[in-house]
Amino acid sequence: TALLLCILCMLILSSVSEDSDAKASEKFTVDHIKYEITAEDTVNEVQVIGYEGSVTEYNGVSTVPYNDKTYVVTSIGKYAFENCTSLTSVNMPDSLRSIGKGAFERCSSLISVTFPKGLTNLGSYAFKECTSLNAVSIPGSVKTVSKHAFQHCYSMTSVTIGEGVKKLGYRAFFN
């Protein structure tokens, strides 16, 4: 009976774990921006994973409501806005900590980006080939500007790098 009880407990625990994982990857859309739940229960967090239609400005919100809960926007996922050629400006929310690989790659009309002071991760290829981007100010909370992050941003005329930045990745600003 002890063995049967152990097996029953393991089955119950595995089904609870599976339910949590399914919920943590649930996707939804609010105001043309697509989100994915990344954490729930004690802290409700989401990442931006894409967009619907034509987006000219991304004025990120720190929180987003869904199913009677409020979620904190903590990251922009990899390739979320890739090839969004209509996007001209990005104003990131204060809650944002991470920008994923290629998140804004080839957004050829993107002119301006405002990073939050608490940003810690700037993924590789994040703004690669944003050919209209003319200036960036990277906060000191970012320790590494990853490889190719701003490669081929041909209009770039001004770069301000915060004191906390310790490393520029391979060809981070290569033209």
Side-chain angles (χ1 to χ4, degrees), residues 57-139:
E57 294 180 346
Y58 172 67
N59 291 307
V61 293
S62 290
T63 60
V64 63
Y66 178 66
N67 281 350
D68 298 323
K69 290 184 180 180
T70 300
Y71 292 87
V72 178
V73 180
T74 58
S75 64
I76 297 178
K78 60 184 179 178
Y79 307 111
F81 290 91
E82 180 186 29
N83 292 315
C84 183
T85 57
S86 59
L87 189 65
T88 60
S89 69
V90 173
N91 186 14
M92 313 241 180
D94 289 338
S95 60
L96 198 76
R97 299 294 170 254
S98 178
I99 300 172
K101 178 180 183 178
F104 295 92
E105 188 172 354
R106 289 188 294 281
C107 292
S108 57
S109 299
L110 184 60
I111 297 168
S112 67
V113 175
T114 303
F115 295 110
K117 292 178 182 169
L119 184 69
T120 56
N121 180 53
L122 183 54
S124 56
Y125 308 95
F127 294 90
K128 182 182 178 191
E129 296 179 25
C130 290
T131 55
S132 299
L133 187 61
N134 56 34
V136 291
S137 181
I138 300 167

Side-chain angles (χ1 to χ4, degrees), residues 6 12-13 28 34 39 44 47 57 69 88 96-97 105 116 142 148 152 160 167 172 174:
C6 282
I12 291 170
L13 287 174
F28 62 94
K34 296 179 181 181
N44 297 327
Q47 70 173 340
E57 294 180 346
K69 290 184 180 180
T88 60
L96 198 76
R97 299 294 170 254
E105 188 172 354
V142 174
H148 309 284
H152 300 309
T160 304
K167 181 181 177 189
F174 180 76

Side-chain angles (χ1 to χ4, degrees), residues 7-70:
I7 292 171
L8 182 61
C9 286
M10 287 179 8
L11 288 172
I12 291 170
L13 287 174
S14 71
S15 72
V16 168
S17 173
E18 287 172 11
D19 288 346
S20 297
D21 291 342
K23 196 86 165 170
S25 65
E26 187 174 341
K27 297 173 175 96
F28 62 94
T29 302
V30 176
D31 295 330
H32 305 289
I33 302 298
K34 296 179 181 181
Y35 298 92
E36 179 178 39
I37 298 171
T38 56
E40 239 181 346
D41 296 325
T42 56
V43 178
N44 297 327
E45 296 180 352
V46 293
Q47 70 173 340
V48 174
I49 59 168
Y51 62 96
E52 289 180 342
S54 180
V55 177
T56 57
E57 294 180 346
Y58 172 67
N59 291 307
V61 293
S62 290
T63 60
V64 63
Y66 178 66
N67 281 350
D68 298 323
K69 290 184 180 180
T70 300

